[in-house]
Amino acid sequence: MFALKIMSKREKKIVILTIFQIIFILSSSSSNVINVNSEINQQLAHLVFKTSGGGVRPDYGLYIASYLNDIGIDVQVKVEEWPVFINTILVTHDFDLGFIGLSGGGASPDMRDIYTEDGSLNIFQLGPEIPYNDQSEQMQEVGVTITDLEERQQLYYDWQQLMMDKIVPILPFFSPRSYVATWANTEGYDSRWGITDSLPYMEYDGYHEGQESLIEFNLADANWRELNPLFTDDTSSSFIWGLMAEPIVQYSPDLAPLKTGLVEDWKQIDEFHYKFTMRDDVYWNPSYNVTGRAASSDPLSSIPTGELMLGLKYGEYSDGTNQQVTAKDAVFTYLLWSNPTISESTTFHYWISECYVDPVNPLQFHVLIDGNPDTPEVEQYADFWARLPWDILPEFFLNSTDPTVTYTDGGIECVGLYPLMLNTPEWATFSTSAFGCGKYMLDYYIKNSVTVLQKSPHWFGVGAIDGAVQDLNIQSINVRIIPDSSAELAEFKAGKLDWTGLTAFPAERKIMQADPRFNVQTFITASLSFMFFNLRRPFIGGGYNAEYIPEPGKTQYTRAVGIRKAICYAIDRDEINQQLHDGEYFLAHSVLYPFTAYYYYNDIIKYNYNPVLAEEWLRAALGLPFYSIEIENQYLTSEDILVTIDCTSGPGITDCVLKYTINGGSQETVSMLEEAEDVFTCGISKTFQENVTISFFIEMTNKYDEVHLTDTSEFISNTTELIVTSTPTIPTTTTNPTTVVSHSSTIFILYSIAMLVILSIYKRKKRN
């Protein structure tokens, strides 16, 4: 105490405060509580994930396996060749989880081929044994009968929510994006609407590098093969025809019908009968025969009337002003497509039971619907809206006077359509010198070189996007034949092209996105990838499909759904997107293609990465309680060891029993007393020598008479050691100890601090 005598009052105050702080810390740590909290670390199940090779699907599997391991689910990833994989998911069903991508759909919300028991792509094994499946199938059947667009949209919204909340057959992953580029001086182009519908709004604001004309639009494609849309099977041919044609009913990128095209209005007569009114003052472009034309040929307008192509029916031609587009052309188009004598794709229009021109108004036509022509009852087919935007064809040119009678798939009698008409000169010439009533006319084409189209002075001048009167600032379209995409990109960068696709060139695209000379746009493709569940397999389905979760707030969900929800929440799709796709894929959340924008429900339940919810659902589904354990007085040899378990955040616990051994001896049991609701405590009434090993676990019984065990914890008396070992019981929970400093160690450390403070003051005083 000599040092205190030479201290100032201020220094004495510092030392006294230090001592008081030591006393406070010691008193507050006298119980020396060890906290043990429940986590899910053990393997609760072993699942098999299968997918096909190629691309990144195997990588998806490895990521999924890693995420699910975090919640105690072991996943074995197996990659199969495509034919084997198809046999696996459709025949043997020898898998728990799978991964697949679908593309080419999305034009309709009707997904019965995938999400019904009898669907040809029912890879989930949906059936009446799956809760809520009957309701899902009923909603889907009703969906194809509702013709009111808003009512139908709402039904599909409700169906998607049901599927993703109460059934959970999939975890949607991604829809890839396509990227296209124009030069920054190109105004009015909208990638969602595409080139054809954007053209009335497009113009140039000055020249870009390498550009030679402000009235031409230059792009590249492959050679087209067939311009008659009835026989077109390649996108290059469809693009050229689309520039010359107009759809009967205009369709938006959101897949909703519009009144901005040839049809400007419609009326529902009854449940199965619609009347459509066409726009007046629309005329067919001249029936030019462009065979043999070249860049050096005279302008199209100089072709004399006598050289125009004559139609099959009455030998008539079109000069752009004499053949009006009327309802008979629309009726003729639909009958062509649905007649197996002519069409190779009759399934698109089998539902048309009658189609005829209004007897009073030649600009109106009627469509009657029967969704199943093989039954005597008239059935609805709501998806007819998606089958109406077919490009109109010239009846005066392609029809005939032949008396042959044929029938459509819907049973409509047709006169004038006969098999040999496909071999007539008129039909043969139309395949290479087609004409429509659209924005542009075919001027000339040189195979392997270029196809050139010229602005039509006869186009009716209404923009599809907004229905407003528009003009065409682009006079000519030059489609250069450049099959190699790298060569196309090089030509675009040199300024010789005004538009190019960039999806295949992510590095170049990123450079262009940062370059103010270019405008890069993106749109979602008609494809969807997803992880899917085999609903008949144990753990994720099987018997758990029939057992409902007893926990309040979750009683409408089966244990199987709870586990599937947990799996979905445990997978970080955003991270996968970042790691494998630079974060550029569209993250989907529904069973529908996001491409089906009008019906895609974006406010649906979303399984964004959430490990807390993953554990919550997994515990609820398996009845695993949340708990925390406090161990007190374990460092003392003269007081009872107190053990408290708190289960207040889990399912109600009705009984707890502590089971323990000392130094590996016989197991002893102590009933724990309920101190508060779901909080139990007990003491181990023993006195221990130092370094005695005590092992214990707690057996909990919840109000549903389900018994669960904590993991076995071991600690050594009068030391800081806490060892956690596992029990063989599954399902179970494990314990994670917090770092604990022993009572004796705490005293020593704080005492040392106090002595150092005093010593430093003493030395300073002595020097002075």
Side-chain angles (χ1 to χ4, degrees):
M1 297 301 292
F2 171 75
L4 290 177
K5 293 181 180 179
I6 62 174
M7 290 181 187
S8 67
K9 291 182 179 180
R10 181 175 179 276
E11 291 165 339
K12 289 180 181 179
K13 185 176 181 180
I14 292 174
V15 172
I16 293 171
L17 287 175
T18 302
I19 294 172
F20 271 112
Q21 188 170 355
I22 291 171
I23 295 171
F24 173 77
I25 295 173
L26 289 177
S27 62
S28 64
S29 62
S30 61
S31 61
N32 194 25
V33 175
I34 294 179
N35 294 311
V36 183
N37 299 312
S38 59
E39 290 185 358
I40 298 177
N41 282 332
Q42 291 190 355
Q43 297 300 330
L44 303 178
H46 302 278
L47 305 181
V48 175
F49 172 99
K50 290 188 177 182
T51 190
S52 60
V56 295
R57 287 184 293 276
D59 298 314
Y60 290 157
L62 296 176
Y63 273 100
I64 290 169
S66 175
Y67 291 126
L68 296 190
N69 185 66
D70 292 341
I71 61 169
I73 298 175
D74 175 62
V75 177
Q76 182 182 12
V77 178
K78 294 185 177 182
V79 179
E80 298 179 336
E81 295 296 324
W82 179 251
V84 177
F85 180 60
I86 290 299
N87 185 68
T88 295
I89 62 178
L90 293 178
V91 181
T92 66
H93 305 293
D94 183 23
F95 70 96
D96 298 295
L97 309 174
F99 198 95
I100 199 169
L102 301 179
S103 60
S108 163
D110 181 9
M111 303 286 279
R112 289 176 296 172
D113 279 349
I114 302 175
Y115 298 115
T116 61
E117 179 183 12
D118 297 328
S120 60
L121 292 177
N122 177 16
I123 56 181
F124 327 98
Q125 296 203 77
L126 287 162
E129 300 87 357
I130 308 300
Y132 301 102
N133 182 71
D134 289 347
Q135 182 181 350
S136 166
E137 296 207 7
Q138 182 182 12
M139 293 176 74
Q140 291 182 78
E141 293 299 326
V142 172
V144 297
T145 68
I146 299 175
T147 56
D148 181 85
L149 291 173
E150 292 184 359
E151 181 183 352
R152 190 177 192 225
Q153 181 189 59
Q154 186 60 54
L155 180 133
Y156 277 106
Y157 281 179
D158 296 340
W159 171 70
Q160 291 170 74
Q161 180 71 13
L162 174 75
M163 288 290 287
M164 292 307 301
D165 184 39
K166 297 295 176 54
I167 300 178
V168 199
I170 71 171
L171 174 62
F173 263 58
F174 310 121
S175 284
R177 299 179 187 271
S178 284
Y179 293 87
V180 297
T182 58
W183 288 83
N185 69 322
T186 305
E187 299 179 342
Y189 171 68
D190 186 334
S191 63
R192 293 187 70 241
W193 284 87
I195 293 174
T196 301
D197 286 332
S198 295
L199 277 165
Y201 306 88
M202 289 170 57
E203 60 183 348
Y204 297 111
D205 180 14
Y207 288 85
H208 64 67
E209 297 173 22
Q211 187 174 12
E212 299 177 356
S213 173
L214 295 180
I215 61 172
E216 295 183 357
F217 188 70
N218 298 281
L219 66 158
D221 206 344
N223 282 303
W224 55 267
R225 298 195 293 263
E226 167 69 63
L227 295 182
N228 188 330
L230 287 160
F231 313 120
T232 295
D233 59 2
D234 65 290
T235 57
S236 299
S237 300
S238 296
F239 175 66
I240 298 297
W241 165 249
L243 291 169
M244 300 184 288
E246 288 290 336
I248 299 173
V249 176
Q250 186 63 250
Y251 227 40
S252 76
D254 295 332
L255 305 184
L258 303 175
K259 299 178 180 180
T260 59
L262 295 178
V263 166
E264 63 178 5
D265 200 7
W266 57 77
K267 179 181 179 181
Q268 184 173 2
I269 305 301
D270 60 36
E271 186 179 0
F272 306 101
H273 184 179
Y274 281 78
K275 180 172 70 173
F276 298 88
T277 302
M278 298 186 66
R279 194 178 300 277
D280 201 358
D281 296 326
V282 179
Y283 291 86
W284 291 102
N285 286 325
S287 51
Y288 295 127
N289 187 340
V290 302
T291 304
R293 283 181 59 79
S296 58
S297 299
D298 293 334
L300 288 170
S301 59
S302 66
I303 297 177
T305 302
E307 295 182 15
L308 296 174
M309 295 187 299
L310 303 180
L312 177 62
K313 187 175 183 181
Y314 296 126
E316 297 178 339
Y317 63 84
S318 172
D319 63 8
T321 61
N322 66 326
Q323 295 287 349
Q324 187 176 4
V325 178
T326 64
K328 75 177 188 310
D329 297 299
V331 171
F332 176 71
T333 300
Y334 290 135
L335 294 182
L336 277 177
W337 277 102
S338 57
N339 193 314
T341 304
I342 305 299
S343 173
E344 299 174 353
S345 305
T346 59
T347 55
F348 289 127
H349 297 94
Y350 72 89
W351 49 270
I352 300 179
S353 62
E354 290 188 56
C355 187
Y356 59 89
V357 177
D358 186 82
V360 176
N361 188 341
L363 292 175
Q364 293 180 333
F365 65 95
H366 298 250
V367 174
L368 277 70
I369 300 168
D370 185 358
N372 188 353
D374 296 328
T375 62
E377 298 83 10
V378 178
E379 299 182 22
Q380 190 54 265
Y381 182 72
D383 258 345
F384 78 91
W385 287 110
R387 309 306 182 192
L388 293 178
W390 258 236
D391 291 334
I392 199 164
L393 291 166
E395 189 271 345
F396 82 92
F397 192 86
L398 294 176
N399 203 359
S400 81
T401 58
D402 189 280
T404 302
V405 176
T406 57
Y407 294 88
T408 69
D409 273 3
I412 303 174
E413 181 181 297
C414 302
V415 178
L417 304 182
Y418 60 100
L420 293 180
M421 73 188 304
L422 304 181
N423 300 324
T424 61
E426 292 79 5
W427 277 71
T429 307
F430 192 80
S431 292
T432 56
S433 291
F435 64 93
C437 60
K439 307 169 188 66
Y440 291 86
M441 305 176 296
L442 186 61
D443 188 353
Y444 67 91
Y445 59 92
I446 301 173
K447 189 174 182 180
N448 299 324
S449 178
V450 69
T451 297
V452 177
L453 300 97
Q454 301 294 342
K455 167 186 172 180
S456 170
H458 312 290
W459 180 57
F460 61 92
V462 175
I465 297 176
D466 56 7
V469 175
Q470 301 289 342
D471 194 10
L472 296 169
N473 294 299
I474 305 297
Q475 305 287 316
S476 301
I477 297 179
N478 305 315
V479 183
R480 294 175 53 193
I481 310 304
I482 308 178
D484 181 72
S485 55
S486 296
E488 176 186 337
L489 178 61
E491 286 291 275
F492 174 79
K493 292 168 65 177
K496 303 303 181 183
L497 299 177
D498 302 303
W499 181 99
T500 191
L502 287 176
T503 306
F505 304 99
E508 291 283 354
R509 185 249 305 162
K510 291 176 183 177
I511 293 173
M512 289 185 182
Q513 285 176 318
D515 191 330
R517 296 177 301 161
F518 305 106
N519 182 16
V520 177
Q521 296 188 32
T522 182
F523 56 91
I524 299 172
T525 62
S527 59
L528 173 65
S529 63
F530 54 84
M531 185 192 77
F532 57 95
F533 297 92
N534 184 346
L535 304 181
R536 303 299 178 91
R537 296 279 276 198
F539 190 71
I540 59 171
Y544 278 172
N545 286 322
E547 299 180 23
Y548 283 81
I549 298 174
E551 183 176 322
K554 293 181 170 62
T555 56
Q556 295 181 349
Y557 302 94
T558 65
R559 294 184 185 273
V561 167
I563 292 171
R564 295 198 292 271
K565 282 176 174 285
I567 288 174
C568 291
Y569 279 122
I571 298 172
D572 192 343
R573 295 170 296 162
D574 281 318
E575 182 180 50
I576 295 174
N577 193 12
Q578 290 292 335
Q579 294 296 321
L580 299 181
H581 307 297
D582 291 330
E584 294 180 343
Y585 277 18
F586 180 85
L587 181 58
H589 298 285
S590 177
V591 289
L592 285 188
Y593 293 86
F595 176 81
T596 317
Y598 183 74
Y599 294 100
Y600 180 81
Y601 188 31
N602 193 51
D603 292 331
I604 197 171
I605 179 175
K606 294 180 172 68
Y607 294 98
N608 295 318
Y609 176 61
N610 191 324
V612 174
L613 285 178
E615 182 174 349
E616 175 185 318
W617 277 101
L618 193 58
R619 287 185 181 280
L622 296 176
L624 302 176
F626 291 89
Y627 66 85
S628 63
I629 300 174
E630 291 183 352
I631 308 168
E632 303 177 61
N633 298 337
Q634 110 286 352
Y635 66 92
L636 299 175
T637 59
S638 59
E639 297 185 26
D640 291 349
I641 295 175
L642 300 179
V643 179
T644 302
I645 183 167
D646 186 338
C647 307
T648 53
S649 59
I653 300 298
T654 58
D655 186 53
C656 279
V657 175
L658 175 71
K659 298 186 178 183
Y660 70 95
T661 62
I662 301 174
N663 284 338
S666 59
Q667 187 178 90
E668 300 190 41
T669 300
V670 178
S671 294
M672 304 186 73
L673 300 177
E674 188 167 15
E675 187 177 87
E677 185 177 0
D678 292 327
V679 177
F680 293 80
T681 186
C682 73
I684 302 176
S685 301
K686 301 284 183 178
T687 56
F688 304 108
Q689 300 299 319
E690 293 186 8
N691 299 320
V692 169
T693 301
I694 302 171
S695 303
F696 74 92
F697 66 89
I698 299 173
E699 181 181 275
M700 297 171 285
T701 304
N702 65 23
K703 59 185 178 182
Y704 312 111
D705 293 327
E706 297 169 328
V707 178
H708 299 281
L709 309 179
T710 69
D711 278 353
T712 299
S713 298
E714 291 185 352
F715 63 88
I716 301 175
S717 64
N718 203 29
T719 72
T720 63
E721 296 186 55
L722 178 65
I723 306 167
V724 179
T725 59
S726 61
T727 63
T729 306
I730 294 180
T732 185
T733 54
T734 65
T735 57
N736 272 350
T738 57
T739 301
V740 179
V741 181
S742 71
H743 182 78
S744 57
S745 298
T746 303
I747 294 174
F748 175 76
I749 292 170
L750 296 175
Y751 176 78
S752 299
I753 292 172
M755 290 301 100
L756 286 173
V757 170
I758 295 171
L759 183 61
S760 64
I761 296 173
Y762 171 71
K763 287 182 177 180
R764 188 170 64 251
K765 286 287 185 179
K766 190 173 183 180
R767 283 196 302 267
N768 294 335

